[in-house]
Amino acid sequence: MTTGPNPSHVIAVEDYGEATLRNLIAHLDVSHSFEHCIYRESELDAVWRLLDIALERGDGAVLPRERLLELRDAIHQAHDFAADEKPHEAAARLRRELRTV
Amino acid sequence: MLTRDENELLTRTNRGTPMGEYLRRYWQPVLLESELPRADCPPVRVKLMGEELVAFRDSSDRIGLLDEYCPHRRTSLYWGRNEACGLRCVYHGWKFDVEGHCVDMPNEPAEYGFKERVFTTAYPARAWGGLIWAYLGPRGADEALPPLPEFEWAVVPANQRFVSKRLQESNYLQAVEGGIDSSHVSFLHSTLSAETHVSSTLGLQSAYMWRDKAPRFTVNRTDYGLLIGARRDAEADTYYWRITQFLLPTATIIPGPMNVDAPYNGHFWTPIDDDHCWNFSVSWLPGRPLTEQELQDLQSGNSIHAGVDQKTFLPIRNARNEYLIDRAKQQRDSFTGIEGVSEQDSAVQEAMGRIVDRSREHLGTSDTAIIAARRLLLREARDLQREGRGPAAVQRPAAFRVRSASMLLRRDVSYEETVKDTLTAPVR
């Protein structure tokens, strides 16, 4: 039996890789309540801080600086959608970003 | 992460600001009741959300809260004579009652009838739960005031509670956020061993908080605000849950020790202005009077109740003396080297600056409760600003009859189902 993403479950954010973003999108897709949006916002905060710190540190080893900047902007926008309780817009913003990879 | 605009909206509380108007829809604690101990006692200065006021208890035990400055020549009514059901300005003798009516104007000919036409700003004030509360918001068409919130600590007999007050030199929101952040307890208030705090009246002794320093958070929107569960690994088949409440607009309840007949604790933060706030702390027992030993512990300055200067309510350990930090003790056994739970909170919250720039933070999933409280306040303040919709919690005083808890639950047991009915304080 397979189970889908649980919107009441907070994802452990360990990196800003594609798998993490896809997991985030899957959880955004099934989020609909105030509580769910809070969890999604906290996860997007966690991704954003990894990107921001990578940029501050000048860490271009994993991704080029330009790509890190694009990704951070996308996460910021998705974050603000989640904060506005618009999880599906947040998911759409992340999907658009993944298509540019 | 907040935008600068959101940070401004949340932290500015003067009249006319969105958050200032929102907070004014609630009763706010402004003084300890003991600061106005008897009829006709000396008046007390009160600054609340930027408004400079003076409080007094008149000859009939009614509490007045007036604009501090006499409408005649704008001197301070704090110097006034509290006599015969009114506060009389010592400059020219104008006298005002608790509703702001000028009831005597001895320096003007009586036949002019000036006094009937002169009023000063006056706000309703009430004694409730050992504190003096004020309402600075609009009244309904019938002049009705909102009901006072029925916190359990406010409705128990006076000998079952202890209240205190301290000055915090930061914006109110930094203090509120500290109060709902269960994550910091494993660090800021800890020692270097599994015994995380020495106060017997605080629920911080649990070794679980020492062993698992990365709690997972659950938040639930409620009628009073937020129910916040912080889950830590306990035994192989159990979780340790520390459950707190964020009560709108600026209060918290925190649990006592697990399985012990010890006081519950809570805080209420009232903005003085955008750079300062009052922290009112309360400890209470639902079922019996506090013992002498418990009172001593609460008054020791080593609990959530700070040791303060009794005139200014500035903590004895404060920024000016670096909170009397003991670096040797910090090396040896205390995480901070600072005595007192409240002082530890003040040290980190005041060091952020008077209003922290939240656009520069790096939050994560351990900050879930803080994120939720900000979003809730932003939503409510915007609803009022844009649609004129006042906070629903104000009209639900019984919703505030809640208790916090710390408990062990089997891992396969639903936290929401378990706490749903157990955290409501019974109505007496």
Side-chain angles (χ1 to χ4, degrees):
Chain A
M1 191 179 81
T2 57
T3 55
N6 177 358
S8 296
H9 175 250
V10 179
I11 301 168
V13 173
E14 293 169 11
D15 57 44
Y16 45 82
E18 188 176 332
T20 298
L21 299 193
R22 291 201 184 282
N23 198 11
L24 261 169
I25 290 169
H27 282 76
L28 284 162
D29 281 339
V30 292
S31 294
H32 51 81
S33 67
F34 170 82
E35 288 86 352
H36 297 160
C37 289
I38 294 299
Y39 299 144
R40 303 294 83 79
E41 183 180 349
S42 73
E43 293 156 355
L44 287 158
D45 267 318
V47 179
W48 184 88
R49 83 174 161 192
L50 290 173
L51 284 159
D52 195 58
I53 289 165
L55 277 161
E56 276 190 22
R57 209 175 48 197
D59 183 2
V62 182
L63 288 172
R65 180 173 174 77
E66 285 308 307
R67 180 65 191 140
L68 285 174
L69 281 167
E70 286 170 9
L71 207 46
R72 187 181 65 173
D73 285 350
I75 296 294
H76 199 156
Q77 289 169 28
H79 168 277
D80 289 354
F81 279 127
D84 267 354
E85 296 185 49
K86 295 173 180 166
H88 300 141
E89 284 89 335
R93 180 66 190 88
L94 293 183
R95 278 198 181 87
R96 201 162 78 237
E97 196 56 33
L98 283 179
R99 279 198 291 274
T100 67
V101 175
Chain B
M1 168 174 46
L2 290 181
T3 65
R4 288 207 166 88
D5 286 347
E6 288 171 331
N7 200 34
E8 282 289 297
L9 193 152
L10 278 171
T11 54
R12 301 293 178 186
T13 64
N14 279 5
R15 187 170 286 283
T17 62
M19 189 52 64
E21 293 303 312
Y22 174 74
L23 293 177
R24 281 169 173 79
R25 262 62 177 181
Y26 290 87
W27 285 94
Q28 303 271 342
V30 294
L31 293 169
L32 298 174
E33 194 173 355
S34 57
E35 292 180 79
L36 292 176
R38 62 185 181 281
D40 293 332
C41 64
V44 179
R45 279 197 178 98
V46 172
K47 191 171 181 188
L48 183 56
M49 294 182 277
E51 298 192 40
E52 293 175 284
L53 308 166
V54 61
F56 68 107
R57 194 188 281 264
D58 78 4
S59 315
S60 307
D61 252 350
R62 295 184 304 167
I63 296 163
L65 188 62
L66 307 179
D67 182 344
E68 183 184 340
Y69 300 101
C70 179
H72 176 216
R73 295 289 313 283
R74 306 292 299 160
T75 194
S76 175
L77 291 172
Y78 172 70
W79 306 119
R81 299 175 59 83
N82 186 9
E83 57 185 20
C85 280
L87 189 60
R88 188 185 296 281
C89 181
V90 293
Y91 204 177
H92 300 93
W94 291 23
K95 181 177 167 185
F96 299 91
D97 69 10
V98 295
E99 291 172 335
H101 301 110
C102 184
V103 293
D104 195 15
M105 193 181 280
N107 70 327
E108 294 284 351
E111 62 269 26
Y112 291 179
F114 277 160
K115 75 176 167 68
E116 283 77 21
R117 287 174 275 164
V118 171
F119 297 89
T120 193
T121 300
Y123 295 117
R126 302 282 185 272
W128 177 242
L131 303 175
I132 306 287
W133 300 69
Y135 179 72
L136 275 62
R139 299 197 194 191
D142 56 355
E143 289 294 295
L145 294 167
L148 284 151
E150 295 177 11
F151 293 106
E152 185 177 46
W153 54 262
V155 298
V156 298
N159 63 0
Q160 291 177 213
R161 79 174 156 254
F162 177 75
V163 292
S164 68
K165 169 183 169 181
R166 74 172 163 85
L167 177 68
Q168 177 149 337
E169 297 179 285
S170 81
N171 184 264
Y172 81 98
L173 189 60
Q174 277 152 241
V176 173
E177 290 172 349
I180 55 176
D181 171 16
S182 265
S183 171
H184 82 278
V185 177
S186 296
F187 304 93
L188 186 70
H189 304 313
S190 75
T191 58
L192 302 185
S193 69
E195 282 292 312
T196 54
H197 201 273
V198 293
S199 168
S200 62
T201 54
L202 266 179
L204 306 181
Q205 294 98 329
S206 172
Y208 303 126
M209 283 201 277
W210 191 78
R211 289 201 321 230
D212 183 353
K213 295 184 166 70
R216 271 67 67 191
F217 281 90
T218 298
V219 293
N220 293 97
R221 177 78 175 92
T222 65
D223 283 348
Y224 57 77
L226 297 171
L227 177 68
I228 300 161
R231 190 195 82 198
R232 289 173 165 89
D233 290 343
E235 307 305 329
D237 58 346
T238 55
Y239 289 126
Y240 170 71
W241 285 91
R242 186 170 186 267
I243 302 156
T244 57
Q245 285 94 356
F246 167 58
L247 302 117
L248 289 165
T250 59
T252 62
I253 298 180
I254 50 180
M258 196 166 53
N259 304 325
V260 175
D261 178 27
Y264 292 89
N265 303 287
H267 300 287
F268 207 124
W269 290 274
T270 305
I272 298 170
D273 54 31
D274 293 343
D275 293 338
H276 305 82
C277 62
W278 291 122
N279 174 0
F280 292 94
S281 298
V282 57
S283 299
W284 79 98
L285 284 164
R288 62 170 174 83
L290 291 158
T291 64
E292 276 303 312
Q293 185 57 51
E294 285 165 338
L295 275 170
Q296 273 179 28
D297 186 60
L298 294 168
Q299 293 169 329
S300 68
N302 198 27
S303 69
I304 64 161
H305 302 276
V308 298
D309 176 275
Q310 291 301 313
K311 180 78 177 164
T312 62
F313 296 96
L314 180 68
I316 306 301
R317 297 180 282 262
N318 60 62
R320 291 158 190 78
N321 56 30
E322 296 194 329
Y323 307 91
L324 301 179
I325 188 170
D326 181 339
R327 294 290 187 184
K329 194 167 183 190
Q330 189 178 28
Q331 284 287 317
R332 200 172 56 244
D333 54 19
S334 160
F335 202 78
T336 59
I338 296 170
E339 290 287 325
V341 174
S342 278
E343 291 85 342
Q344 291 159 0
D345 284 326
S346 291
V348 295
Q349 291 161 13
E350 292 176 350
M352 299 160 110
R354 294 299 167 98
I355 303 179
V356 66
D357 181 356
R358 291 177 176 78
S359 71
R360 298 180 62 194
E361 293 174 328
H362 292 85
L363 303 184
T365 53
S366 64
D367 302 301
T368 300
I370 291 170
I371 292 168
R374 291 175 183 177
R375 290 297 161 205
L376 181 56
L377 287 170
L378 279 168
R379 180 205 272 192
E380 295 242 319
R382 285 170 172 154
D383 282 351
L384 178 64
Q385 182 187 25
R386 293 170 183 166
E387 297 161 34
R389 194 164 67 236
V394 167
Q395 299 301 334
R396 295 174 181 150
F400 292 84
R401 284 178 175 255
V402 288
R403 290 178 184 168
S404 53
S406 52
M407 60 176 78
L408 283 185
L409 285 181
R410 288 178 51 86
R411 294 190 180 206
D412 57 359
V413 168
S414 159
Y415 149 80
E416 272 96 350
E417 284 304 307
T418 304
V419 303
K420 195 168 55 180
D421 300 319
T422 58
L423 298 182
T424 304
V427 178
R428 284 178 198 81

